[in-house]
Amino acid sequence: MNKILIVEDNEMNLKLIRTVLKAKGFLLAEARDGEEALKMAVAERPDIILIDIQIPKIDGLEVTRRIRAIDDLKDRQIIAITAHAMEGDRNKILEAGCDGYIAKPINTRTFIDEIEAILKQKDERLKDEG
Ligand code: MN
């Protein structure tokens, strides 16, 4: 069973994401700011981290960089959630170490498919790299 850490400071979005993922049977952990996100990533060792970029204390990109620098966590799936999915932002998100991103507002009907598509892309990339 996959464990997912949701990092989101907006209660409405958090509730939405929690509801969708719970219905799919995922184990969940939650954080509402960057400091908490780092603590939870280390303590909970989630398989997948869904991270809002605009969060208090440490922003989502910096949290991603720091998680990638932790040996134990560097191979986790990290998916950004962002309202700023412009081309330049997309590059910044990928450069920080995210495997992909999902644009806000969240569409509950396609959310799981979007996550699965990003995970599948990563699998294929890793296969290509041998
Ligand atoms: Mn936010």
Side-chain angles (χ1 to χ4, degrees), residues 51-55 58-65 78 96 98:
I51 186 159
D52 178 22
I53 296 302
Q54 289 179 298
I55 46 175
I58 309 169
D59 75 59
L61 295 181
E62 181 57 24
V63 171
T64 299
R65 285 184 206 105
I78 305 180
C98 294

Side-chain angles (χ1 to χ4, degrees), residues 3-102:
K3 188 190 275 185
I4 302 187
L5 170 61
I6 310 167
V7 186
E8 171 63 84
D9 64 322
N10 178 291
E11 286 299 328
M12 223 165 73
N13 276 331
L14 180 59
K15 194 179 167 194
L16 211 66
I17 294 168
R18 182 196 296 137
T19 304
V20 172
L21 296 180
K22 244 189 196 162
K24 280 280 169 184
F26 288 106
L27 296 173
L28 302 180
E30 297 177 1
R32 288 171 173 77
D33 64 56
E35 277 176 13
E36 205 185 358
L38 284 168
K39 274 186 210 152
M40 292 297 276
V42 171
E44 297 286 332
R45 307 170 48 81
D47 304 288
I48 301 167
I49 299 165
L50 294 176
I51 186 159
D52 178 22
I53 296 302
Q54 289 179 298
I55 46 175
K57 297 187 183 173
I58 309 169
D59 75 59
L61 295 181
E62 181 57 24
V63 171
T64 299
R65 285 184 206 105
R66 292 191 197 181
I67 288 172
R68 287 297 186 220
I70 300 170
D71 233 27
D72 217 24
L73 296 175
K74 64 181 180 218
D75 61 345
R76 304 297 144 137
Q77 316 274 4
I78 305 180
I79 299 173
I81 303 168
T82 179
H84 303 275
M86 311 290 285
E87 195 58 32
D89 297 304
R90 188 177 169 273
N91 290 338
K92 261 191 256 169
I93 288 166
L94 298 177
E95 272 168 27
C98 294
D99 295 302
Y101 68 89
I102 293 173

